[in-house]
Amino acid sequence: MTSENHGTIKADSALVMSPTGSTSQAAPFSPSTSKPIQELPDELIQAGWSKCWSKRENRPYYFNRFTNQSLWEMPVLGQHDVISDPLGLNAAPASGEAISDAGLGNGQRKRHPSEDASQAGPNSFKRPKVEIPVTPTTPTVPISPSTPGVKPWVNATDDKQGQASVPAPAPYRPSVVYWDLDIQTNAVIRERAPANHLPPHPEIELQRAQLTTKLRQHYHELCSQREGIEPPRESFNRWLLERKVVDKGLDPLLPSECDPVISPSMFREIMNDIPIRLSRIKYKEEARKLLFKYAEAAKKMIDSRNATPDSRKVVKWNVEDTMNWLRRDHSASKEDYMDRLEHLRKQCGPHVASVAKDSVEGICSKIYHISAEYVRRIRQAHLTLLKECNISVDSTESTEVQNRLVYCYPVRLSIQSPPQPRVELHFENDIACLRYKGEMVKVNRGHFNKLELLYRYSCIDDPRFEKFLSRVWCLIKRYQVMFGSGVNEGSGLQGALPVPVFEALNKKFGVTFECFASPLNCYFKQFCSAFPDIDGFFGSRGPFLSFSPASGSFEANPPFCEELMDAMVTRFEDLLERSSEPLSFIIFVPEWRDPPTPALTRMESSRFRRHQMIVPAFEHEYRSGSQHICKREEMYYKAIHGTAVIFLQNNAGFAKWEPTTERIQELLGAYKVSGRSLPSPGPSSTSTADKDSKPVQERSAKSQDNSSPVDKTAPDTTNI
């Protein structure tokens, strides 16, 4: 049984493109809007008035998006301004009206409370309702994020207790906006059927959060008990990302059907911290202590494990030689100690790794199988909840999908959403706090308003916003659990480009879509994200690895996980190979050269590479992945590594959005750090432990000739 939200997909003919179109055909029509024709004078429209239709009374009424007034009769401009004259003291009473209604002025009858009342659920709030038909290919009329037409959110209990005569507070207007939701998409896809994900519910999300936290604890205990080390920083988060590249399971967060079972990411990162974690050092004494600790840990491990006689002999001899050198040479410099440590690692590392291999594989396997068991529990609880609500998962009707090209639209679910429990909302200064069963999540008020706008544009099964608060709670809880509980943990994996860079990408290269984002950190209202089951209600087009655009201009700033970035490049080349329509991807990845990542190497040698430029470390910035909750002064942080910006385009995309010198200079100008003081550095965005843990010295950014060996017509590499 399909839900009212996810019925048969319909589209305006103006939005349908010819599936056999070529690069020489006319550009697709812009996404049409469903805004009703205004039968009002221009002065009233500019003052915020619009004519709407009441389905309940079956007659028109007039609504002011600035003041939230609703009137049956057409307003007259200048008679009464509720902002400058809230009590209507200066409004002239109209003839035939009672003195008590003089505040309304000009004969305008105040609507009765019964006319405004509506049947609302536990999470609903009164909203001015404008009947606008919505289809997947006809997006709603964009509203600026700072539009004052959004009524402030209040708790349902406070709304009932409040007196009707008290004027509503002024709508919240964020002082700084980090998004532009007015930009329409140019991304075109083939029409697709609704997804069969189970609809989100706070009870299930709470259980998933508890089990994921428990899984993190298991990982910590296994690393400590078996190897005597702390889990590598954020390795669990990168494990979730890497597993989802190959996972065929049904849970949106935890993996359950992966091949291979042993995660290459987790195995590599644990092995790099054996026998001890090697951190970056600054002083001579720190280097001496690090060398001593490594030698001791290697000897202890080789003695306590089942090592071969040759391995014991090699490790013990090198450790004794190192100890003698430490006792003998007290005038060594920091560089001498680091060279000696590197030599010891090369000699002992292979033998230490051979004795730890089985144990580390056991850790990876144990975590995966526990995760699979948790997924089984979560899904069973979810199916039971839906069954209690008389919602059948197996009997969902198949939706007929036409083979045609349409502008991209958010993910729709084929399974009806169950009734949602009550979620409490209150504000603490500029922070919105949502509580369910004692579990509170927080988001700043600006991003809360952003989520409301995204929900208004994208969700079509909840016109009264009855499920809005519960879905916001599920959304924030999902990302909170994925981030982890450590200080700044996970925020580096969700970092975003600065706003000026997005503006330049849209202005010069026609970018309207983000390949890796979330409702919390997106700049455009159209984006791909990790969790289609909950993010789809807020505009997500689903995971990028399953997204198939035929044309459009895209920005890609993926989480810095090697396996995910490598899969991303494979997806790019496959899409560019298949499409003859204009298709362009502008990719931002870390410039890791020691050793170079497979993704970076493949993009540099790709035949679709049109241009590449390098932004040096500490000379540019990212927006924090915790921007929805962090302080304003912590919004940006310096990048601790260089960033490679690579343009992958097919021939039609290159002809339409060519990275000319003028456009590149505009992008470089947007990348320059402003005069504000930035933290140095911010959340760690280094993704692999072998790059984060090596005691290497800071590398200076150098200009390199990265011209494509295949496409000799590509412009030269640019370095800021």
Side-chain angles (χ1 to χ4, degrees):
M1 179 175 64
T2 57
S3 67
E4 58 180 346
N5 176 27
H6 312 105
T8 302
I9 299 178
K10 300 180 181 179
D12 289 348
S13 59
L15 295 178
V16 181
M17 296 179 54
S18 172
T20 59
S22 62
T23 56
S24 61
Q25 71 179 35
F29 293 110
S30 299
S32 66
T33 61
S34 304
K35 184 175 182 179
I37 299 177
Q38 301 291 340
E39 301 175 357
L40 293 174
D42 292 340
E43 294 81 5
L44 290 178
I45 295 176
Q46 293 176 2
W49 289 99
S50 59
K51 187 176 181 179
C52 309
W53 184 261
S54 173
K55 294 179 67 176
R56 182 178 63 253
E57 300 293 337
N58 198 27
R59 60 169 172 160
Y61 69 97
Y62 301 88
F63 172 72
N64 190 304
R65 63 189 178 94
F66 294 144
T67 62
N68 287 334
Q69 278 186 290
S70 298
L71 302 173
W72 289 119
E73 290 78 17
M74 180 182 292
V76 177
L77 193 65
Q79 292 297 321
H80 176 211
D81 185 358
V82 297
I83 296 179
S84 60
D85 185 20
L87 299 181
L89 300 178
N90 298 324
S95 59
E97 288 293 324
I99 300 301
S100 60
D101 289 336
L104 293 175
N106 201 36
Q108 299 172 359
R109 183 177 65 85
K110 182 177 179 181
R111 301 182 70 185
H112 297 293
S114 60
E115 296 173 342
D116 288 337
S118 61
Q119 298 298 325
N123 297 312
S124 65
F125 294 88
K126 178 183 173 183
R127 276 288 184 271
K129 185 178 180 182
V130 180
E131 296 299 326
I132 300 178
V134 182
T135 64
T137 55
T138 55
T140 55
V141 180
I143 303 176
S144 172
S146 58
T147 298
V150 179
K151 182 178 178 181
W153 288 82
V154 293
N155 199 323
T157 56
D158 298 337
D159 194 24
K160 294 179 181 178
Q161 295 174 358
Q163 298 180 1
S165 61
V166 179
Y172 176 80
R173 297 180 178 88
S175 57
V176 181
V177 177
Y178 301 97
W179 51 85
D180 188 347
L181 306 184
D182 289 342
I183 298 174
Q184 299 290 353
T185 184
N186 59 16
V188 176
I189 62 173
R190 291 205 172 272
E191 189 173 330
R192 57 186 180 181
N196 58 353
H197 305 293
L198 299 184
H201 191 279
E203 188 65 33
I204 303 302
E205 203 59 46
L206 181 59
Q207 181 182 5
R208 180 181 288 111
Q210 293 170 344
L211 292 178
T212 305
T213 301
K214 191 174 181 180
L215 187 62
R216 286 181 183 271
Q217 294 173 351
H218 281 304
Y219 180 49
H220 186 281
E221 292 171 357
L222 287 172
C223 288
S224 177
Q225 294 172 0
R226 296 194 180 188
E227 301 302 331
I229 61 172
E230 292 290 320
R233 176 176 171 79
E234 297 199 31
S235 63
F236 187 88
N237 299 337
R238 285 186 289 272
W239 175 75
L240 291 174
L241 294 173
E242 181 268 331
R243 292 283 83 185
K244 278 304 171 183
V245 174
V246 298
D247 184 39
K248 298 180 181 179
L250 300 175
D251 192 82
L253 179 62
L254 296 176
S256 59
E257 295 183 24
C258 298
D259 185 25
V261 172
I262 306 299
S263 165
S265 172
M266 180 177 285
F267 179 82
R268 179 178 63 246
E269 295 189 32
I270 296 177
M271 292 296 290
N272 284 333
D273 279 6
I274 292 176
I276 63 170
R277 175 178 173 81
L278 302 178
S279 57
R280 292 187 177 92
I281 53 93
K282 295 181 179 180
Y283 306 108
K284 169 184 172 180
E285 288 303 319
E286 292 178 348
R288 179 183 174 88
K289 290 180 181 179
L290 191 62
L291 176 59
F292 179 79
K293 288 182 179 179
Y294 185 91
E296 271 197 334
K299 183 176 182 301
K300 181 179 179 181
M301 172 169 284
I302 210 71
D303 288 338
S304 60
R305 303 291 177 92
N306 187 21
T308 63
D310 290 341
S311 294
R312 294 179 186 274
K313 181 178 179 181
V314 172
V315 172
K316 287 185 177 181
W317 186 89
N318 280 278
V319 168
E320 290 177 1
D321 183 63
T322 300
M323 292 297 187
N324 292 332
W325 181 81
L326 285 172
R327 300 187 193 99
R328 182 175 62 252
D329 195 344
H330 298 284
S331 60
S333 64
K334 168 190 166 183
E335 288 71 22
D336 294 333
Y337 289 122
M338 300 310 297
D339 291 341
R340 190 78 185 190
L341 176 58
E342 187 64 24
H343 172 75
L344 186 62
R345 289 189 67 195
K346 288 181 179 179
Q347 296 297 320
C348 300
H351 302 283
V352 171
S354 64
V355 299
K357 180 176 180 295
D358 292 341
S359 175
V360 175
E361 287 182 347
I363 294 176
C364 299
S365 178
K366 182 74 172 177
I367 293 299
Y368 169 77
H369 285 102
I370 295 176
S371 174
E373 171 61 22
Y374 287 170
V375 169
R376 187 192 63 79
R377 293 188 199 174
I378 294 171
R379 184 166 181 83
Q380 184 62 40
H382 208 157
L383 293 174
T384 301
L385 185 146
L386 294 177
K387 185 177 180 180
E388 292 174 352
C389 298
N390 296 322
I391 298 175
S392 176
V393 176
D394 300 328
S395 62
T396 54
E397 300 176 2
S398 60
T399 304
E400 182 180 354
V401 177
Q402 301 182 24
N403 184 22
R404 58 180 179 177
L405 296 176
V406 296
Y407 284 98
C408 69
Y409 53 89
V411 172
R412 308 299 187 200
L413 303 185
S414 61
I415 303 174
Q416 180 183 351
S417 179
Q420 300 292 306
R422 180 179 181 82
V423 172
E424 299 176 1
L425 168 69
H426 71 276
F427 291 96
E428 298 177 357
N429 297 325
D430 285 341
I431 301 296
C433 304
L434 296 91
R435 184 190 301 273
Y436 173 72
K437 286 191 173 181
E439 291 286 331
M440 181 182 293
V441 297
K442 297 183 178 181
V443 60
N444 65 52
R445 201 161 184 174
H447 281 76
F448 183 78
N449 286 2
K450 174 191 179 184
L451 292 176
E452 180 187 355
L453 288 174
L454 289 172
Y455 193 80
R456 187 184 301 274
Y457 295 152
S458 307
C459 179
I460 60 174
D461 75 330
D462 187 24
R464 297 180 183 273
F465 277 59
E466 295 175 352
K467 303 172 183 177
F468 173 71
L469 289 183
S470 63
R471 287 171 175 171
V472 170
W473 188 91
C474 291
L475 171 76
I476 301 175
K477 192 66 177 178
R478 178 80 59 83
Y479 281 95
Q480 183 186 78
V481 170
M482 186 183 72
F483 279 10
S485 58
V487 178
N488 289 330
E489 184 179 0
S491 58
L493 298 174
Q494 291 287 318
L497 300 178
V499 171
V501 176
F502 272 117
E503 293 173 345
L505 290 173
N506 174 253
K507 179 181 178 182
K508 295 300 179 180
F509 299 99
V511 174
T512 64
F513 194 105
E514 297 168 76
C515 296
F516 298 91
S518 74
L520 299 172
N521 71 358
C522 65
Y523 179 80
F524 305 109
K525 67 174 179 286
Q526 46 272 344
F527 56 91
C528 283
S529 64
F531 309 121
D533 62 320
I534 182 62
D535 294 350
F537 296 106
F538 300 89
S540 173
R541 272 59 173 168
F544 177 73
L545 297 182
S546 59
F547 184 66
S548 301
S551 68
S553 183
F554 301 82
E555 174 269 349
N557 177 31
F560 298 159
C561 168
E562 288 192 27
E563 290 76 12
L564 177 60
M565 291 192 293
D566 195 45
M568 171 195 71
V569 176
T570 302
R571 188 65 175 170
F572 285 154
E573 294 189 334
D574 180 55
L575 293 172
L576 292 167
E577 187 73 39
R578 290 186 301 174
S579 178
S580 60
E581 299 295 330
L583 193 58
S584 171
F585 297 99
I586 305 177
I587 305 103
F588 298 77
V589 293
E591 191 202 11
W592 290 332
R593 302 287 182 183
D594 185 24
T597 58
L600 182 57
T601 303
R602 290 177 58 193
M603 285 191 290
E604 289 178 340
S605 61
S606 173
R607 71 185 186 91
F608 297 106
R609 187 182 74 85
R610 307 293 180 170
H611 188 80
Q612 178 177 349
M613 62 184 187
I614 305 298
V615 189
F618 298 100
E619 295 184 18
H620 64 294
E621 60 190 8
Y622 283 92
R623 264 186 302 141
S624 171
S626 301
Q627 59 178 275
H628 61 283
I629 196 61
C630 70
K631 299 178 181 178
R632 184 174 175 181
E633 57 270 18
E634 299 174 353
M635 181 64 68
Y636 288 93
Y637 62 89
K638 289 182 181 178
I640 62 174
H641 51 71
T643 296
V645 184
I646 302 175
F647 292 73
L648 298 183
Q649 300 169 328
N650 60 9
N651 292 332
F654 179 69
K656 188 171 184 178
W657 299 297
E658 179 183 357
T660 61
T661 303
E662 177 186 355
R663 290 173 174 174
I664 292 297
Q665 290 302 320
E666 184 85 10
L667 181 59
L668 295 183
Y671 236 131
K672 292 181 179 178
V673 180
S674 62
R676 61 175 167 265
S677 176
L678 296 175
S680 176
S684 172
S685 49
T686 307
S687 79
T688 50
D690 52 342
K691 294 173 179 61
D692 189 29
S693 62
K694 283 185 179 180
V696 295
Q697 300 176 1
E698 298 296 341
R699 297 170 295 180
S700 59
K702 298 179 181 180
S703 177
Q704 301 184 17
D705 182 11
N706 293 318
S707 300
S708 171
V710 180
D711 186 4
K712 295 300 181 182
T713 62
D716 293 336
T717 299
T718 303
N719 193 328
I720 296 182

